Amino acid sequence: MRTMNTTHNPSPKTDLAVTQVLAQLLERLEHSAVPVGAEQYRSVVEHLVHEFEDVAPGADLGRLLDAYPAASEVYENLNYQHAGLCRSALDASLAAEVSAREAIARAMGGAKTNKDKTHGEG
């Protein structure tokens, strides 16, 4: 007897109620004054990721992501290969990229400081 594989939903969900609850919860965890356990945080993010896999893109999703910056970052990271940092402000995206390049250069031991350059070293 063959069974149907029901793990993939062929039609995207348009009801964002669960997605919104998870986005609200993630936002509360992000801004919690009390330390949050890594497992709890990871669990919420994983559930949100699974929701994002099934939701339909569109205006409703855009409004939800505008309202919940932490969920927006998760969504953006999930879709980075297709659209880059499409939901981040350009200045913030550029600053993040510059910081990442500098950190990578420092980690690789090839970064020269401005002080070294102005004193003719290196």
Side-chain angles (χ1 to χ4, degrees), residues 17-98:
V18 173
T19 310
Q20 182 170 359
V21 169
L22 289 167
Q24 288 172 339
L25 181 54
L26 181 59
E27 204 66 34
R28 282 193 302 214
L29 293 175
E30 283 279 325
H31 299 289
S32 175
V34 178
V36 177
E39 283 300 316
Q40 180 182 13
Y41 188 89
R42 185 178 302 120
S43 176
V44 171
V45 170
E46 286 175 357
H47 282 86
L48 188 57
V49 165
H50 291 301
E51 282 297 307
F52 282 147
E53 290 171 353
D54 295 335
V55 298
D60 289 341
L61 178 59
R63 283 189 290 277
L64 183 140
L65 296 174
D66 289 343
Y68 302 102
S72 181
E73 286 184 38
V74 171
Y75 183 83
E76 186 174 63
N77 286 323
L78 289 172
N79 294 288
Y80 183 82
Q81 74 275 17
H82 302 295
L85 298 175
C86 60
R87 296 201 52 83
S88 295
L90 184 56
D91 290 342
S93 297
L94 182 58
E97 183 176 344
V98 169

